[in-house]
């Protein structure tokens, strides 16, 4: 199986100025992939998180998967704060 990552920022239709950053992690027994493209800005302003969480409901533990992408919109301070 081959996975290809687009080399263009979908919104601006401009090439990514920097290499696409990729990582893999395991959440609740599943391997997930994460990719980030900086686009036309001079710094990466977006951030993300992915983790598993144990929730206790009625004295039973349930696994939850948490995924989020935070868009910087003009600076990384907001996305880092939310993370």
């Amino acid at each position: 199986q081959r996975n290809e990552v687009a080399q263009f920022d979908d919104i601006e239709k401009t090439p990514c100025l920097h290499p696409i950053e990729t990582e893999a992690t395991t959440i609740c027994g599943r391997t997930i992939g994460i990719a980030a493209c900086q686009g036309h800005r001079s710094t990466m302003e977006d951030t993300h998180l992915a983790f598993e969480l144990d929730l206790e409901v009625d004295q039973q533990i349930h696994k939850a998967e948490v995924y989020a992408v935070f868009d910087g919109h003009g600076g990384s301070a907001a996305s880092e704060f939310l993370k």
Side-chain angles (χ1 to χ4, degrees), residues 1-79:
Q1 178 179 353
R2 190 173 103 161
N3 294 323
E4 294 184 16
V5 177
Q7 294 291 321
F8 292 89
D9 178 321
D10 288 338
I11 295 171
E12 298 295 328
K13 301 294 184 207
T14 57
C16 292
L17 300 178
H18 303 275
I20 294 175
E21 297 177 20
T22 61
E23 67 180 89
T25 189
T26 301
I27 306 291
C28 293
R30 282 189 285 258
T31 300
I32 64 162
I34 300 167
C37 174
Q38 186 170 316
H40 67 282
R41 302 217 186 258
S42 60
T43 61
M44 175 54 98
E45 298 175 352
D46 304 340
T47 190
H48 67 274
L49 57 82
F51 62 90
E52 60 185 67
L53 180 66
D54 291 333
L55 298 174
E56 183 177 344
V57 178
D58 296 330
Q59 299 179 347
Q60 292 184 331
I61 300 296
H62 300 272
K63 294 268 186 209
E65 300 172 39
V66 179
Y67 304 93
V69 175
F70 304 108
D71 195 337
H73 281 290
S76 61
S79 61

